[in-house]
Amino acid sequence: MSELEKRLANLSPEKRALLMQQLAKSAARENTQQEIGRRARPERMPLSSAQQRLWILDRFDPGNSIYNVTLLLRMVGPLDVDVLSRTLSEIVRRHETLRTVFVSDDEGPYQRILPAEPLPLARFDLTDRPDDKRLHAAMELAREDAAASFDLVDGPILRAGLVKLSHDDHLLMMSAHHIAVDGWSFGILAGELTELYSAYIAGKPSPLPELPIQYADYTLWQRDEMEGEGLRNQLAYWKTQFETLPPVLELPGDRSRPAVQSYRGDLYRYVVPASVFDAVKRVARQEGATAFMAFLAAYQVLLARYSGQEDLAIGVGNANRPRRELEALIGFFVNTLPLRGDLSGDPTFRELLAQVKQRTIDSYANQDMPFERLLETLNVERNLSHTPLFQTMVFFQNFPERNIDLAGLKILPVNIEGAHSGTSRTDATIFASEVGGELQLLIEYATDLFDHDYIGGFAAHLQQLLVAIAEDPGKRLSELEMMPTEQRKRVVEDWNATAQPLPAEATMHAMFEAQAARAPQATAVVQYDDHGEVERLSYAELDARAERIAAHLRARGCGPGKMVGLFLHRKPHMLAAMLGAWKAGAAYVPLDPSYPAERIAWMLEDSLAPVVVADPELIAELPAGAHAVLSIEDALTADVLTAGPPTSTDGIAMAGAEDTAYVIFTSGSTGRPKGVRVPHRAGVNFLASMARTPGLRADDALCAITTLSFDIALLELMLPLTVGARVILADRVTAADGQALAALLDRAEATAMQATPATWRMLLESGWRGRKELRMFCGGEGLPRELADRLLGHGRELWNLYGPTETTVWSTVDRVEAGEGAISIGKPIANTEIYIVDKRMRPLPPGIPGELLIGGSGVSQGYLDRPELTAE
């Protein structure tokens, strides 16, 4: 009974029926194919198609160990080294491919089979090392051997080494170039090693019959078959599958893809428990599929979730030994089948599995097409940064297992990761095999792209998908849970446990009023020019001015639900106007004097602001419209107060937590600007959170440089006024001049400033030497690592802040430390929730890109024209 027949006899009825379908198709092909048989050897023996590709790759990068394969055996007991050496030499004699080199002339490469000679067995003695150091030293030797290059021209193509750990403990190292062997070959080698060693140690001759054919015969047969009608039909199938090429798979990794693939790699071992794998196999049986098909479908789901791509190609390793003559032959037969997956339309897993099943059967029915020939036919553009056609592979290893039973010796398992060559042929390759009911995964990954922990998470997500699939294969792919329970809780709940009590004051002006009551004579705002201080207001003075403006606004009908336009220069009365609008119960709409007239007109029209507070010299620039203009000078000089500020018992409506505090218009880059409504509740939450982290105290002085029309001005103007600190108000000219701004920071003894990366860079390039007392807040744009590292030496602390206008200025905050890699946007502020979600709004685990979803009490009320829309 052949190995293939033995394997069939042990399969479940469902799997046997499925494989029989494939075997029937293979048998039909065999009937039309000529026997391989022994063939006349030409003077120039060609390479097989698989060998030719490896030969070309070796020519491009001679000495690369990416295609090295290694076998390690630890043998405990009385080893006869001479018998072992004789055994290995006999195996090399039996299989010509193990003593073949690859030379070339003007016509191209060809094989040269060398005469059979004893295989050199390198010897290493580590018995002089301490007992606890020997195995580590042996594995170091194994790693060096696995990474050592092979010379395909001069050979040898196989090498062996024996490491002596003690009198009766040895490690056998065998390394070969993939051009001569594949995974199935090592099973054959192990079987022959067992039979030959046992016979020789007993003084008997070899029990193995001579091989009917050699790899060279297969090569000649393959050349003949490649010109046949059957192969042309297979080529037509593959051309149909890849009429259009799939996009390059871009998994979000720890680093960007380099311009040139280095092939540096590592291994990660992961074990899927038997209980999970058994459940997956049950689902496969119910759908008339194999465990491999279910695993491949689950892997497609994982790749789609990680990359966001729905058109995927995965390289599937195929033993490519469909004929019985090839089952006992050592050589490089493995072929790679590019299986394409279409996950569009969010099918159920059951539907995806049916697709994978059919494509797998069809692909195996057309498995004789050499991958190298397919690449040539499809004219796949080669790119040095990635492998062609697919960037990930799966080898579901089902080649025959051979138990190595050397007479008188105990064979111990060896951790193959310890002797890995340190290479990876693709971005990620999964070697999966069932051992004792468990599914053991060995993941070879590119270290240029991924770190060890990333691959660990990748494997854990794959297992969770298998669990979800087994629970309900009828779920749509978007409904399959990818995050393990603990991780999902951490992402969804723990990281968003940001609940904090809000201040007693319901509005932002009430927070200011509380500070004014506590320290009325403290400086609230100060402004300088080139000659020194221009104006300084205490909390009491600023409060009084705000009350005066509020009275004028109330007299003009401004209250809750109304908007007040602010068309003002950057002077202390701008803060008084802000506070005055709030005290009147209204919201303010900042109108930047530098904006075009058309934009100002649109903002006034959209906000329906009945009153605009303006500097006298700017009034003429306002567009004609249905609004009244209140000169800031009149508002501060004309007395309309008949009594103190209104109270809730005066019958005058007061602004509350849910009333709009201000409206900020977006840039309008996608059309007309939209007015974002921000309620006092959101502003109060924001200011209270910022006061805690990054933090601001009463003895601080914050330099405010941002136009009121940008929402980040709220932090600069109101955060100091709600904690008792002072605002250093920079005028427009100073804020845009690096040297002038640097001088202001020193003159005003600033302890904090918020700016965009562009402004911080302007400061540095102006020659600014920094202030050791300064706490630097950065936001509005991405903060580059190189800029962050420069800033860290120019102040006391550096904080990165992030948030869209719709969620009330900043939603996340993080203190920047020296280090490597991108700068984090940090953690959510108080009463704010942050999620990274896919296009179907499902939370994603860390490291996978998606859309940012922000919710909680820190979001805005919505847009002026669509109040039901919020940032959620």
Side-chain angles (χ1 to χ4, degrees):
M1 180 180 289
S2 70
E3 286 297 331
L4 191 56
E5 290 170 327
K6 292 177 182 177
R7 288 162 56 210
L8 280 172
N10 293 324
L11 293 177
S12 65
E14 295 87 351
K15 189 180 292 186
R16 189 183 308 120
L18 189 60
L19 289 179
M20 289 304 292
Q21 296 178 36
Q22 300 174 21
L23 289 172
K25 294 181 179 181
S26 298
R29 291 200 309 274
E30 282 201 44
N31 290 335
T32 62
Q33 294 171 338
Q34 56 180 313
E35 290 291 325
I36 296 180
R38 284 278 184 172
R39 298 186 171 229
R41 304 293 176 83
E43 183 176 345
R44 294 181 77 263
M45 177 67 65
L47 279 62
S48 70
S49 58
Q51 286 179 324
Q52 184 145 343
R53 180 166 185 259
L54 293 193
W55 180 85
I56 292 171
L57 291 173
D58 186 76
R59 294 276 292 203
F60 280 142
D61 190 10
N64 195 319
S65 61
I66 182 176
Y67 286 103
N68 289 9
V69 288
T70 299
L71 175 67
L72 297 179
L73 295 176
R74 188 175 178 187
M75 302 173 290
V76 177
L79 174 67
D80 190 318
V81 178
D82 292 336
V83 170
L84 176 64
S85 181
R86 179 187 172 191
T87 297
L88 296 176
S89 296
E90 173 61 10
I91 293 172
V92 173
R93 184 201 68 79
R94 286 173 51 77
H95 297 274
E96 290 178 350
T97 188
L98 297 179
R99 46 188 170 90
T100 297
V101 293
F102 303 85
V103 294
S104 61
D105 55 22
D106 293 340
E107 298 180 40
Y110 60 94
Q111 300 185 53
R112 176 180 292 163
I113 302 170
L114 303 178
E117 294 182 356
L119 177 69
L121 182 62
R123 305 282 293 275
F124 304 91
D125 191 338
L126 300 180
T127 55
D128 61 338
R129 305 284 182 93
D131 292 351
D132 59 343
K133 304 289 186 182
R134 292 177 190 173
L135 185 58
H136 177 76
M139 296 308 295
E140 283 293 327
L141 289 172
R143 270 191 290 273
E144 293 173 8
D145 182 67
S149 61
F150 285 96
D151 185 340
L152 300 189
V153 176
D154 296 323
I157 214 72
L158 168 73
R159 56 176 175 257
L162 187 67
V163 182
K164 184 177 182 180
L165 298 168
S166 69
H167 176 70
D168 57 356
D169 192 354
H170 295 80
L171 178 69
L172 176 63
M173 309 179 299
M174 298 190 71
S175 294
H177 194 282
H178 213 335
I179 204 168
V181 298
D182 54 19
W184 187 298
S185 297
F186 272 156
I188 296 170
L189 190 150
E192 293 193 357
L193 179 65
T194 293
E195 295 192 49
L196 289 171
Y197 184 88
S198 298
Y200 291 163
I201 202 74
K204 298 179 181 179
S206 168
L208 301 177
E210 287 299 313
L211 296 166
I213 61 171
Q214 291 285 342
Y215 189 84
D217 300 309
Y218 161 77
T219 300
L220 295 170
W221 170 82
Q222 185 192 58
R223 285 298 175 103
D224 291 342
E225 289 297 318
M226 286 177 67
E227 305 304 322
E229 181 67 24
L231 207 63
R232 283 193 289 273
N233 292 336
Q234 292 192 32
L235 181 57
Y237 164 81
W238 289 110
K239 288 173 70 175
T240 300
Q241 291 293 301
F242 290 92
E243 186 176 354
T244 60
L245 298 180
V248 174
L249 177 66
E250 294 293 356
L251 296 175
D254 296 290
R255 289 165 291 280
S256 300
R257 185 184 298 279
V260 178
Q261 190 176 11
S262 74
Y263 298 104
R264 288 187 291 268
D266 205 345
L267 290 177
Y268 187 96
R269 184 180 293 277
Y270 191 88
V271 177
V272 177
S275 58
V276 175
F277 192 44
D278 284 343
V280 171
K281 287 187 288 187
R282 281 195 299 272
V283 169
R285 286 196 298 270
Q286 291 165 3
E287 302 302 319
T290 64
F292 161 70
M293 295 172 183
F295 179 85
L296 183 62
Y299 189 47
Q300 288 182 353
V301 176
L302 180 72
L303 296 178
R305 287 284 189 88
Y306 264 66
S307 67
Q309 299 170 221
E310 296 177 332
D311 181 7
L312 303 169
I314 298 174
V316 174
N318 172 32
N320 198 29
R321 295 176 184 249
R323 301 177 66 93
R324 294 181 182 180
E325 304 102 302
L326 305 178
E327 290 183 22
L329 197 59
I330 289 177
F332 183 34
F333 295 94
V334 68
N335 192 22
T336 306
L337 304 179
L339 266 62
R340 197 161 188 173
D342 178 6
L343 285 75
S344 62
D346 196 22
T348 66
F349 182 79
R350 184 175 284 115
E351 292 169 339
L352 177 63
L353 180 55
Q355 177 197 127
V356 170
K357 171 186 172 181
Q358 189 59 53
R359 291 192 177 185
T360 301
I361 292 173
D362 292 344
S363 297
Y364 274 74
N366 293 277
Q367 66 179 310
D368 296 330
M369 170 58 62
F371 180 63
E372 296 73 24
R373 177 78 171 269
L374 177 60
L375 291 178
E376 294 172 6
T377 303
L378 296 177
N379 195 26
V380 177
E381 182 179 352
R382 304 303 177 100
N383 189 305
L384 294 178
S385 69
H386 57 78
T387 52
L389 202 57
F390 51 76
Q391 290 72 54
T392 184
M393 293 195 294
V394 171
F395 288 84
F396 212 78
Q397 303 183 114
N398 60 350
F399 38 78
E401 293 185 18
R402 302 289 185 98
N403 292 323
I404 302 176
D405 183 15
L406 303 183
L409 298 176
K410 181 180 181 181
I411 307 301
L412 299 180
V414 178
N415 182 3
I416 191 65
E417 294 96 309
H420 186 242
S421 63
T423 61
S424 179
R425 299 170 206 173
T426 65
D427 294 355
T429 299
I430 296 182
F431 299 91
S433 56
E434 184 175 359
V435 180
E438 298 175 332
L439 184 64
Q440 296 192 358
L441 306 180
L442 198 60
I443 305 176
E444 183 181 81
Y445 62 94
T447 52
D448 282 348
L449 303 177
F450 313 116
D451 289 334
H452 185 267
D453 290 346
Y454 179 97
I455 297 300
F458 186 77
H461 293 149
L462 178 57
Q463 175 176 309
Q464 181 58 43
L465 281 173
L466 293 173
V467 171
I469 288 162
E471 290 176 349
D472 187 357
K475 282 186 175 180
R476 298 201 173 276
L477 303 186
S478 62
E479 298 172 337
L480 296 172
E481 181 55 61
M482 183 173 68
M483 285 189 281
T485 303
E486 285 190 10
Q487 184 181 55
R488 181 177 178 80
K489 180 179 180 296
R490 185 165 65 251
V491 168
V492 175
E493 299 177 20
D494 297 349
W495 289 354
N496 286 300
T498 61
Q500 290 283 350
L502 291 175
E505 299 83 13
T507 62
M508 289 184 279
H509 57 285
M511 296 174 74
F512 162 74
E513 290 166 350
Q515 287 297 333
R518 280 191 287 268
Q521 301 310 312
T523 299
V525 57
V526 61
Q527 190 167 43
Y528 297 83
D529 65 9
D530 292 341
H531 306 291
E533 184 176 316
V534 175
E535 186 175 6
R536 180 184 294 262
L537 295 178
S538 68
Y539 273 83
E541 290 169 331
L542 179 59
D543 191 35
R545 292 191 181 193
E547 288 291 353
R548 186 177 294 274
I549 294 171
H552 281 279
L553 292 175
R554 284 194 294 270
R556 287 166 171 76
C558 293
K562 300 294 185 179
M563 307 291 170
V564 174
L566 301 184
F567 196 49
L568 300 165
H569 290 305
R570 290 183 58 78
K571 295 181 178 179
H573 61 233
M574 180 183 71
L575 275 76
M578 281 176 54
L579 291 164
W582 288 342
K583 284 172 176 284
Y588 72 82
V589 180
L591 306 171
D592 195 308
S594 67
Y595 281 172
E598 295 82 1
R599 182 179 174 90
I600 297 292
W602 163 250
M603 293 164 67
L604 286 173
E605 177 187 345
D606 196 41
S607 65
L608 300 176
V611 177
V612 176
V613 181
D615 277 308
E617 64 271 24
L618 295 176
I619 292 176
E621 299 178 22
L622 282 169
H627 54 262
V629 178
L630 173 62
S631 166
I632 189 68
E633 287 188 359
D634 291 344
L636 293 175
T637 56
D639 192 355
V640 297
L641 296 178
T642 59
T647 67
S648 58
T649 60
D650 292 339
I652 300 176
M654 306 291 291
E658 298 304 322
D659 285 305
T660 302
Y662 63 88
V663 174
I664 292 287
F665 280 81
T666 61
S667 63
S669 58
T670 58
R672 277 189 160 184
K674 290 183 179 180
V676 180
R677 305 162 63 104
V678 178
H680 276 280
R681 164 186 48 78
V684 167
N685 178 73
F686 168 70
L687 294 174
S689 183
M690 290 293 105
R692 288 189 292 267
T693 306
L696 203 71
R697 301 179 308 184
D699 58 353
D700 277 314
L702 190 151
C703 184
I705 63 173
T706 306
T707 171
L708 187 61
S709 291
F710 286 174
D711 64 335
I712 62 178
L714 184 70
L715 179 146
E716 298 178 355
L717 302 176
M718 287 306 301
L719 181 58
L721 298 183
T722 56
V723 298
R726 73 180 186 275
V727 177
I728 304 165
L729 189 62
D731 60 34
R732 184 184 301 275
V733 174
T734 300
D737 185 317
Q739 292 183 342
L741 183 56
L744 175 61
L745 291 172
D746 287 338
R747 179 187 298 123
E749 299 181 341
T751 62
M753 188 175 82
Q754 170 188 253
T756 64
T759 299
W760 286 116
R761 193 179 297 278
M762 175 191 74
L763 259 178
L764 292 171
E765 292 175 354
S766 73
W768 179 56
R769 296 183 179 182
R771 281 183 57 79
K772 65 179 181 179
E773 307 90 350
L774 191 69
R775 303 173 71 228
M776 301 168 286
F777 306 153
C778 188
E781 306 161 8
L783 175 59
R785 165 56 68 180
E786 55 85 15
L787 177 60
D789 288 343
R790 291 175 65 189
L791 286 172
L792 284 170
H794 283 71
R796 180 156 62 102
E797 295 173 3
L798 174 62
W799 293 81
N800 192 36
L801 308 162
Y802 169 81
T805 298
E806 290 81 352
T807 62
T808 312
V809 195
W810 305 130
S811 299
T812 66
V813 59
D814 195 48
R815 182 171 178 177
V816 180
E817 304 287 356
E820 298 181 356
I823 305 297
S824 169
I825 65 170
K827 298 179 180 179
I829 68 169
N831 302 307
T832 301
E833 299 164 8
I834 301 289
Y835 306 94
I836 306 297
V837 298
D838 61 21
K839 59 185 178 182
R840 293 184 173 87
M841 304 299 284
R842 290 180 60 86
L844 291 168
I848 301 180
E851 297 294 326
L852 185 65
L853 180 66
I854 304 176
S857 60
V859 302
S860 74
Q861 278 183 312
Y863 298 105
L864 280 177
D865 55 344
R866 295 286 301 280
E868 75 276 12
L869 295 180
T870 71
E872 296 174 285

